[in-house]
Amino acid sequence: MADSVTIIDNRTGESIEIPIVNGGVDATEWSKLLPGIWFYDPSFSTTAAAASAITELDGEAGILRYRGYPIEQLAEQSTYLEVAYLLIHGELPTPEQYEVWKHDITYHTFIHENVRKRFMEGFHHDAHPMGILVSTLAALSTFYPDAKDIFDEQSRYKQVIRLIAKMPTLAAGAHRHSVGMPFVYPDNSLDFTSNFLSMMWKVAEPRYEADPVLARALDILFILHADHEQNCGTTAMRVAGSAHADPYSCAAAAATALYGPRHGGANEAVIRMLTRIGSMDNVLPFIEDVKAGKGRLQGFGHRVYKNYDPRAKIIKETADKVFEVTGKNPLLDIALKLEEVALSDEYFTSRRLYPNVDFYSGLIYQAMGFPIEMFTVLFAIPRMSGWLAHWIELLDRNERIARPRQLYDGEPVRDYVPMDQRKASA
Ligand code: ACO
């Protein structure tokens, strides 16, 4: 049997055979037979918008791999910074390469004083830290005009280093501003995650010592969130990148998409949902409301995973270790009960709705003391390496500008009516 599809134009009887390559068919072949007839696929549910060698995701089988390495092995044995190197460069670093990478990232964690003083401190005291992050990322492009040299290898590398390195500084700065605490400068003697925790929590002590269990747990969460192929935020990064915008502006576009409650904002929505449910007695009525269409079970369901999200499994194990240090998050029992009820309910099983990465991550963040508003920011810190890996890939592959077609379904042509002759439409 041929590994191909045949498309017949029933108007003319003409047909075209298109080979199936890598699980897809080339849409340009289709337009040879049917010029001017477009695939209608809003939300890209059945469109592969890119070929990519970064992350392999099989939602049916519950598989997630970065550059071929299973997420379970990376979460157990690697560190976020090593994973960031892997995503950007395509291979795990040698000891020498890793030392250079660590050094470069560590020495680019500082931000320009004007970014802090004029931009970050200029926000209203109750500004959402994700709003601060999105805007500050965009503003950074004006501080690094060399970032526009996107085809200059050295300039590109410098921006990649800067963006990965400055994310924790911007994230912690956004938090400190929102709680009225003084900004804490990066400490070059600390590793990536401990440095972030120091900038978050340091008060008057000469040196902030992060709890190693919590620092490692956060590093694992960073590994799990580093990339997830063509999700909404990464697609925003690639679309802006395809116009050859500088990487700071592209990253601001990606972070904007991540901000939404259907995407990176879901972990925040999970905690708000669990808090609203409040007690075990309210779990069943809540599930009934969801089934009746009164809102969604946050942290459940995924466009691609129709099986247990492999990241959710690892996060659940990480949660146990964190709770041994912090004490159990009182919302955990409600979450466990919700999961148990949903996974045995036909509404959820028939739609193949399983817990996603956000269902348990918020519980860990909350137990660690992060305010709810910081949850999406915590997602954005490591996702920067994934965004940049995709940005580099699309430039290296010289992809054309993203410019989809539309099916116009508005008014047909009509004549302009002078204002004094118009009637209000219903
Ligand atoms: N609770 C209840 N029902 C749901 C849920 C949910 N969380 N998710 C999907 N459904 C139902 C829909 O109502 C729909 O039912 P129907 O066929 O009877 O109309 C069916 O399942 C399919 O849902 P879609 O909306 O078509 O699925 P889609 O792929 O568009 O949405 C999404 C995926 C946005 C993740 C969705 O499952 C959702 O809103 N989940 C809650 C928010 C969330 O957890 N987001 C985080 C995603 S992971 C991430 O971005 C990191």
Side-chain angles (χ1 to χ4, degrees):
M1 203 194 292
D3 219 3
S4 64
V5 293
T6 299
I7 297 163
I8 303 167
D9 183 347
N10 290 328
R11 299 166 305 177
T12 61
E14 281 180 43
S15 67
I16 189 166
E17 186 181 348
I18 312 177
I20 300 172
V21 181
N22 267 342
V25 290
D26 187 347
T28 50
E29 291 295 316
W30 156 283
S31 18
K32 283 182 193 160
L33 176 72
L34 297 163
I37 307 269
W38 311 120
F39 282 110
Y40 179 54
D41 185 20
S43 78
F44 309 137
S45 302
T46 52
T47 298
S52 177
I54 300 168
T55 289
E56 186 184 357
L57 203 176
D58 182 338
E60 293 293 325
I63 284 174
L64 176 62
R65 298 178 189 139
Y66 296 159
R67 303 282 190 187
Y69 295 101
I71 193 69
E72 294 79 4
Q73 290 183 24
L74 293 170
E76 197 182 324
Q77 298 175 56
S78 187
T79 61
Y80 166 65
L81 264 201
E82 189 184 43
V83 164
Y85 184 99
L86 172 70
L87 289 169
I88 298 289
H89 294 278
E91 295 294 339
L92 288 168
T94 62
E96 296 76 28
Q97 287 167 333
Y98 191 46
E99 278 313 304
V100 174
W101 177 248
K102 258 195 325 198
H103 175 275
D104 286 353
I105 299 278
T106 306
Y107 282 82
H108 286 86
T109 47
F110 275 69
I111 52 176
H112 194 290
E113 274 299 282
N114 280 352
V115 175
R116 180 176 74 80
K117 283 199 186 135
R118 307 226 178 245
F119 282 97
M120 302 192 81
E121 290 183 3
F123 285 97
H124 204 248
H125 68 91
D126 59 357
H128 195 291
M130 196 59 193
I132 298 181
L133 182 71
V134 164
S135 323
T136 313
L137 275 173
L140 277 188
S141 89
T142 65
F143 284 80
Y144 304 111
D146 57 325
K148 297 205 182 308
D149 295 335
I150 57 172
F151 290 106
D152 179 287
E153 284 295 325
Q154 275 183 346
S155 163
R156 210 193 272 181
Y157 181 73
K158 207 184 262 180
Q159 316 316 326
V160 165
I161 292 287
R162 282 174 175 154
L163 273 162
I164 293 174
K166 293 182 199 314
M167 281 301 277
T169 318
L170 296 176
H175 165 71
R176 305 285 291 203
H177 176 69
S178 64
V179 291
M181 295 280 285
F183 184 85
V184 177
Y185 287 92
D187 179 342
N188 286 357
S189 68
L190 297 173
D191 66 65
F192 187 85
T193 310
S194 304
N195 187 27
F196 169 59
L197 291 172
S198 157
M199 291 188 283
M200 278 294 298
W201 308 129
K202 190 168 183 291
V203 185
E205 62 276 46
R207 189 183 154 90
Y208 178 83
E209 298 287 347
D211 183 293
V213 174
L214 302 188
R216 176 62 191 153
L218 190 59
D219 207 54
I220 291 173
L221 285 163
F222 283 175
I223 292 172
L224 300 181
H225 285 88
D227 194 47
H228 211 233
E229 53 117 298
Q230 312 300 322
N231 57 84
C232 185
T234 304
T235 300
M237 181 88 186
R238 292 189 79 121
V239 169
S242 77
H244 289 180
D246 70 81
Y248 300 94
S249 306
C250 296
T256 302
L258 190 71
Y259 194 177
R262 283 174 159 186
H263 191 13
N267 49 16
E268 186 174 332
V270 169
I271 295 298
R272 294 194 195 283
M273 172 188 76
L274 295 175
T275 309
R276 240 184 4 257
I277 294 173
S279 81
M280 301 293 264
D281 292 345
N282 295 334
V283 167
L284 289 178
F286 177 81
I287 290 283
E288 287 310 314
D289 281 352
V290 169
K291 286 160 62 180
K294 298 182 199 157
R296 292 201 159 186
L297 176 52
Q298 296 299 329
F300 257 67
H302 200 276
R303 173 60 59 79
V304 180
Y305 290 119
K306 301 301 170 196
N307 203 328
Y308 213 99
D309 182 338
R311 300 168 300 172
K313 260 189 215 148
I314 301 168
I315 287 185
K316 222 172 151 184
E317 289 157 19
T318 308
D320 292 337
K321 292 183 190 141
V322 168
F323 295 154
E324 272 173 30
V325 176
T326 61
K328 197 172 77 177
N329 187 323
L331 298 176
L332 177 68
D333 288 336
I334 297 177
L336 288 168
K337 183 76 186 158
L338 270 177
E339 180 186 334
E340 185 195 315
V341 173
L343 292 184
S344 56
D345 188 304
E346 200 269 338
Y347 175 94
F348 296 91
T349 51
S350 65
R351 288 169 179 77
R352 307 183 68 189
L353 301 168
Y354 291 88
N356 60 47
V357 68
D358 289 320
F359 194 66
Y360 287 104
S361 63
L363 289 173
I364 301 183
Y365 295 145
Q366 197 178 45
M368 283 181 173
F370 289 104
I372 290 178
E373 292 73 21
M374 279 298 285
F375 291 2
T376 315
V377 175
L378 291 164
F379 191 154
I381 294 173
R383 182 53 60 87
M384 180 57 75
S385 56
W387 290 335
L388 290 166
H390 284 271
W391 176 72
I392 292 167
E393 183 176 73
L394 97 106
L395 294 178
D396 280 350
R397 293 187 181 203
N398 205 12
E399 282 185 17
R400 295 171 76 201
I401 188 167
R403 201 322 185 170
R405 303 292 181 149
Q406 67 163 15
L407 306 183
Y408 178 71
D409 62 0
E411 296 287 345
V413 64
R414 49 186 173 165
D415 289 323
Y416 180 83
V417 180
M419 200 178 284
D420 60 2
Q421 295 169 26
R422 287 177 214 162
K423 293 195 180 74
S425 51

